[in-house]
Amino acid sequence: MGYKHLSEIEDMSLYEYEMKMQAFNLSQVDKQHEMHMQAWLNHQVTATKESGKKQVPVFKKYEDFFNYEKSLKQVEKPKQKSISPRMKRMARIAAKLNREGR
């Protein structure tokens, strides 16, 4: 967990220690998930299908398997956050209070 000295652990509260242990255990599950996903992808990339009497790859090009550009665009595109009428009203009230100097 990255601790160099026992005193770092001894200075924690029991609650903090339990939370850090839970976070560590969750990170281990994430690592296992990534390893299994990699194994699955390794299997998928070698998938074949029948074409007539012969087997041909399902994915002819890397882009058929993973579209890097499309994935980047999805991450980079701004997310539209819907603003509820209540949030708009609260923003107007806050703006009014700021103008009045409160």
Side-chain angles (χ1 to χ4, degrees), residues 20-102:
K20 288 185 183 251
M21 284 302 296
Q22 184 173 7
F24 174 76
N25 289 331
L26 289 171
S27 72
Q28 294 300 106
V29 171
D30 285 344
K31 286 180 184 179
Q32 290 174 352
H33 177 263
E34 288 177 20
M35 290 187 298
H36 285 83
M37 179 62 76
Q38 183 65 51
W40 176 254
L41 291 173
N42 288 341
H43 174 72
Q44 288 296 100
V45 78
T46 60
T48 59
K49 62 183 177 183
E50 282 192 32
S51 179
K53 292 186 178 186
K54 61 183 179 177
Q55 295 285 323
V56 295
V58 172
F59 305 105
K60 296 188 185 337
K61 304 181 292 189
Y62 175 75
E63 289 78 23
D64 296 338
F65 183 69
F66 179 73
N67 190 325
Y68 182 74
E69 295 299 324
K70 181 180 175 184
S71 295
L72 282 178
K73 286 178 184 175
Q74 285 181 324
V75 169
E76 292 171 349
K77 108 175 128 175
K79 295 196 178 354
Q80 296 290 331
K81 292 185 178 179
S82 61
I83 299 174
S84 69
R86 181 173 186 247
M87 289 173 69
K88 287 180 184 179
R89 185 170 40 101
M90 291 172 66
R92 282 194 299 272
I93 292 169
K96 181 180 177 185
L97 289 173
N98 284 336
R99 282 193 301 272
E100 293 174 4
R102 291 187 195 179

